[in-house]
Amino acid sequence: QVHTVESGGGSVQAGGSLRLSCEASPVTEKYACMVWFRQSPGKEREGVAGIYTRDGTTYYADSAKGRFTISHDNAKNTVFLQMTSLVPEDTATYYCAPDRSHACCAPGTLVPGRHPWDTCYYTYGGQGTQVTVSS
């Protein structure tokens, strides 16, 4: 069963930055893909960024490009999301979700134009971390 612990959220003003962390367990389970989602009350979840942990290939939603950076520490089974130039529309609960299947995010396996979160269904493993951006 997937279990994740997200942290690093908080309240910031527009233009600020936050760095989110997500540790997936068990640490011996090496997930091929890790994706950050966000969800606001009454809205569907939105894939924000993903990473193929084998070679570091990254994927971003249009809303995140140029502002967010996803990275990972394989030894710690941890993925990070550095968020800059935050805007009120970024306000949401952020979750990470891992997947074991390489086919969900490995380069060359995705249909052109599709992201890892369009390709496979990712299951949240934790409670998420709240990000609130005020104008």
Side-chain angles (χ1 to χ4, degrees), residues 3-7 21-24 96 125-127:
H3 180 63
T4 58
V5 177
E6 295 91 351
S7 62
S21 298
C22 169
E23 183 176 351
C96 75
Q127 298 299 312

Side-chain angles (χ1 to χ4, degrees), residues 3-116:
H3 180 63
T4 58
V5 177
E6 295 91 351
S7 62
S11 296
V12 297
Q13 291 191 328
S17 300
L18 286 171
R19 187 174 188 246
L20 308 184
S21 298
C22 169
E23 183 176 351
S25 61
V27 69
T28 53
E29 180 69 63
K30 300 305 180 185
Y31 297 101
C33 307
M34 297 188 80
V35 173
W36 281 100
F37 291 90
R38 65 187 182 188
Q39 190 164 17
S40 301
K43 293 185 178 180
E44 292 188 359
R45 73 178 189 177
E46 174 189 11
V48 175
I51 190 165
Y52 179 52
T53 63
R54 296 300 182 265
D55 68 3
T57 298
T58 57
Y59 305 88
Y60 296 97
D62 289 344
S63 59
K65 286 179 182 177
R67 301 188 302 127
F68 295 0
T69 302
I70 187 171
S71 60
H72 72 290
D73 182 335
N74 269 352
K76 298 180 179 179
N77 236 12
T78 299
V79 64
F80 306 96
L81 187 67
Q82 178 69 48
M83 305 189 296
T84 63
S85 302
L86 286 164
V87 297
E89 290 73 23
D90 294 321
T91 296
T93 301
Y94 285 69
Y95 303 85
C96 75
D99 197 281
R100 300 178 182 87
S101 174
H102 295 258
C104 290
C105 69
T109 65
L110 302 183
V111 173
R114 293 177 67 85
H115 298 93

